[in-house]
């Protein structure tokens, strides 16, 4: 994702919470080699789709980067402290 490429992953575990099927990658049934091959073939046959998904994948990766997550966390902590001080 951080390389700007679409993801092809199993629809299981952490992948299914990060990869948005059809938006920034393709999710396949776990242990289904045919489904993985079909997904890769689709992306190879449709480079414009792969490029579009790759751009979305990059945006997803940026939103989940440590800098982005840390910044949001600090904002949340700051708001919580302000609310607590107001009590």
């Amino acid at each position: 994702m951080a390389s700007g490429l679409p993801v092809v992953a199993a629809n299981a575990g952490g992948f299914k919470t990060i990869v948005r099927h059809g938006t920034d990658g393709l999710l396949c049934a776990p242990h289904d080699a045919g489904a993985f091959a079909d997904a890769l073939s689709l992306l190879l046959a449709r480079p414009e789709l792969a490029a579009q998904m790759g751009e979305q994948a990059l945006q997803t990766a940026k939103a989940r980067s440590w800098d982005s997550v840390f910044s949001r966390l600090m904002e949340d902590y700051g708001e919580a402290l302000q609310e607590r001080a107001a009590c």
Side-chain angles (χ1 to χ4, degrees):
M1 293 181 109
S3 296
L5 297 171
V7 175
V8 176
N11 190 11
F15 295 123
K16 67 182 180 181
T17 64
I18 296 172
V19 179
R20 294 169 296 162
H21 181 76
T23 300
D24 50 23
L26 299 171
L27 294 170
C28 304
H31 310 292
D32 185 346
F36 278 86
D38 289 345
L40 292 170
S41 293
L42 173 66
L43 294 173
L44 290 170
R46 298 195 44 207
E48 74 287 347
L49 177 63
Q52 181 181 8
M53 284 187 183
E55 179 57 36
Q56 288 298 313
L58 181 59
Q59 297 308 314
T60 299
K62 286 180 180 178
R64 292 177 175 269
S65 72
W66 172 246
D67 290 339
S68 179
V69 171
F70 181 76
S71 177
R72 289 193 308 264
L73 184 63
M74 290 296 98
E75 288 174 16
D76 291 345
Y77 280 147
E79 290 173 14
L81 289 172
Q82 287 177 347
E83 289 174 12
R84 183 172 180 177
C87 292

